[in-house]
Amino acid sequence: MMTTAAVLSIAMLLDAAFGEPDWLWSRLPHPAVVMGRAIGWMDNRFNRGRTRRLRGALVLVALVAGGLACGWLLSLPGPVVEAVCAAILLAQRSLTEHVAAVASGLRRSLADGRAAVAMIVSRDTSAMNDADVARAAIESAAENLSDGVIAPAFWFLVGGLPAMIAYKCINTADSMIGYRTARHEAFGWAAARSDDLANLIPARLTALLLALCGGCLNAAGIWRDARLHRSPNAGWPEAAMARSLGIALAGPRTYDGARRDFPWVNEAARRKLEPVDIDASIVMLWKAWGVMLLLSGLTAYLTL
């Protein structure tokens, strides 16, 4: 019988080989789109009244329960279907393609670079210079390696496809309603806190993989930089990426027209970034992916 680790290894290879083919997802809604539509409907239907925090928590419970049920049903046909479903929920190839598009755009012009990075970050891009564009792309690469690749893989190893889909439901909910805004601070509280918890181990695992692949074993420095980040988890892969590449990340940026003076990560390092630095971050993404694949394959071998 094929082990969970073996199925994950196959899924990782499928994702790396095929990514998210347009011919398929132009005809069918991607699972992430389906999750997003469900969350949007629940947001419009239940985000009201004086019990928004409770309602948001119950919505999250329903999403996770639905994810677990879907994962269980999709696991019944066997490991082939399970591997294909898991591959769809991994995002290694699509992540590297989106990040590479920023480097290509920036090589053509600043305007093209801004347009490409606007596809993967939520901050304002209209006033970005070349270094800002490159920095935003690299930060997104590090954070999404954790959220889109390592975390789903980790939860698949923990609980198979049900746990993986449940994680994706939590992560998608956090990305849509987990904000400290007047509308979502109460309703999205459970989603935000659950996402923090679900990514606690994967974010640190991602940082470890990046640090090992980058030959950066300054754990104290990574820990110190990670604590500067506003997120309890996103700072870990970002700090590891910054130190592995010898560059500074984070720093001031603009959201909704307001400048936010965030602290620098790896502050003393080089801040003038170029497309070649984006290229280097993509290499790091594949190296970390390769080590994760090796760990998954080794686990599969040891559990035969």
Side-chain angles (χ1 to χ4, degrees):
M1 182 176 180
M2 191 174 293
T3 65
T4 299
V7 174
L8 175 61
S9 300
I10 294 172
M12 292 181 69
L13 291 171
L14 287 173
D15 170 56
F18 300 105
E20 298 180 355
D22 290 337
W23 63 265
L24 176 61
W25 302 122
S26 62
R27 293 171 173 80
L28 296 173
H30 192 279
V33 174
V34 175
M35 292 177 194
R37 289 174 180 172
I39 293 164
W41 180 85
M42 291 180 178
D43 183 23
N44 291 328
R45 178 68 178 81
F46 299 111
N47 188 4
R48 62 186 66 177
R50 298 182 178 179
T51 58
R52 291 189 178 190
R53 179 173 289 198
L54 176 60
R55 286 168 174 254
L58 292 175
V59 161
L60 186 69
V61 169
L63 285 169
V64 171
L68 291 170
C70 286
W72 177 73
L73 288 172
L74 291 170
S75 299
L76 294 179
V80 173
V81 172
E82 196 173 9
V84 171
C85 291
I88 291 171
L89 295 176
L90 293 169
Q92 174 70 12
R93 178 160 176 171
S94 62
L95 171 60
T96 57
E97 289 175 345
H98 279 96
V99 176
V102 180
S104 298
L106 196 55
R107 284 188 169 96
R108 291 192 299 271
S109 70
L110 176 57
D112 285 349
R114 288 173 176 170
V117 82
M119 302 294 292
I120 59 175
V121 299
S122 59
R123 71 194 70 169
D124 293 343
T125 61
S126 58
M128 283 185 173
N129 58 31
D130 288 45
D132 294 332
V133 170
R135 186 176 302 110
I138 295 169
E139 289 169 10
S140 181
E143 294 176 20
N144 284 291
L145 175 65
S146 179
D147 289 357
V149 182
I150 304 303
F154 171 82
W155 284 108
F156 189 91
L157 287 174
V158 170
L161 193 59
M164 187 187 210
I165 296 179
Y167 166 77
K168 294 297 291 186
C169 288
I170 292 171
N171 189 245
T172 304
D174 176 63
S175 69
M176 293 182 65
I177 62 175
Y179 296 100
R180 292 182 177 179
T181 60
R183 175 173 176 79
H184 289 125
E185 185 168 14
F187 188 73
W189 177 86
R193 299 292 78 75
S194 297
D195 187 71
D196 288 343
L197 183 61
N199 282 298
L200 191 68
I201 296 175
R204 288 148 182 80
L205 175 59
T206 304
L208 176 61
L209 294 174
L210 289 171
L212 289 174
C213 293
C216 173
L217 301 179
N218 185 356
I222 293 173
W223 176 79
R224 185 169 55 252
D225 286 341
R227 293 180 64 199
L228 298 175
H229 203 281
R230 61 196 182 281
S231 165
N233 295 317
W236 286 88
E238 189 173 305
M241 179 72 85
R243 287 188 172 268
S244 294
L245 297 181
I247 60 176
L249 294 177
R253 74 277 308 275
T254 303
Y255 292 99
D256 300 321
R259 179 182 170 88
R260 306 286 295 277
D261 289 320
F262 293 131
W264 289 93
V265 169
N266 199 22
E267 183 176 10
R270 176 169 54 89
R271 298 183 185 181
K272 186 173 177 57
L273 307 186
E274 301 174 352
V276 67
D277 295 302
I278 303 177
D279 297 338
S281 74
I282 295 171
V283 172
M284 289 294 297
L285 293 180
W286 281 114
K287 285 182 177 180
W289 175 89
V291 175
M292 187 66 187
L293 177 63
L294 180 63
L295 292 174
S296 179
L298 181 60
T299 301
Y301 175 76
L302 294 175
T303 54
L304 285 176

